[in-house]
Amino acid sequence: MKCPSCGFDNPEDMGFCGKCGAKLEKICPQCNFSNPLQFEFCGKCGTSFTGQTPSSKPQAVTPFPQTPLSYTPSHLAERILAEKEDFEARSSPEGERKTITALFADIKGSMELIEDLDPEEARSIIDPA
């Protein structure tokens, strides 16, 4: 891959230029979007970097259900709606106080580990933890 800064011809698997240290990336000729080196198609507009055409039509992403009621178990939905009606009947304008416990966990060094990765790759590394 030719370095956009100094023109040095680097091997394909390099992430940074071996001569000047500049980050190597695939810039889409169509939309100027910066793509990871391993991409064969632009992640923004779909332009091919190799001259090949996509093997098949991209599959449509299934949209999220319109309402939480459509994916909430019926017994839980009934309980939530009953509590909502009870709350509205009391018409307490200040709301209600509840004690909760919140847990936050972090993996030391995780941001440095995944900062240059595609979101799917990052998730595949972090999710098992």
Side-chain angles (χ1 to χ4, degrees):
M1 164 159 255
K2 192 169 282 267
C3 175
S5 297
C6 70
F8 183 72
D9 195 18
N10 292 281
E12 273 304 308
D13 58 345
M14 301 289 282
F16 293 87
C17 178
K19 186 171 186 178
C20 72
K23 183 172 181 174
L24 299 175
E25 53 198 356
K26 285 186 180 174
I27 304 295
C28 177
Q30 186 72 26
C31 69
N32 291 325
F33 184 72
S34 174
N35 292 274
L37 293 175
Q38 66 271 24
F39 276 30
E40 294 181 11
F41 293 89
C42 176
K44 186 172 185 181
C45 72
T47 299
S48 173
F49 296 130
T50 61
Q52 64 183 358
T53 57
S55 59
S56 65
K57 279 183 147 181
Q59 299 222 349
V61 175
T62 306
F64 289 107
Q66 295 297 322
T67 64
L69 194 57
S70 65
Y71 57 83
T72 305
S74 60
H75 70 282
L76 184 57
E78 290 168 8
R79 182 175 168 195
I80 292 169
L81 292 173
E83 287 187 23
K84 179 183 174 198
E85 289 173 8
D86 183 45
F87 183 74
E88 288 172 351
R90 286 183 278 150
S91 66
S92 177
E94 69 276 350
E96 75 181 287
R97 292 178 176 259
K98 288 188 175 185
T99 301
I100 66 162
T101 301
L103 172 66
F104 174 79
D106 188 22
I107 301 171
K108 184 175 180 179
S110 63
M111 292 308 295
E112 291 81 12
L113 176 68
I114 64 171
E115 69 183 344
D116 292 327
L117 296 178
D118 186 74
E120 287 81 16
E121 290 175 307
R123 187 169 179 197
S124 70
I125 292 172
I126 298 297
D127 276 357

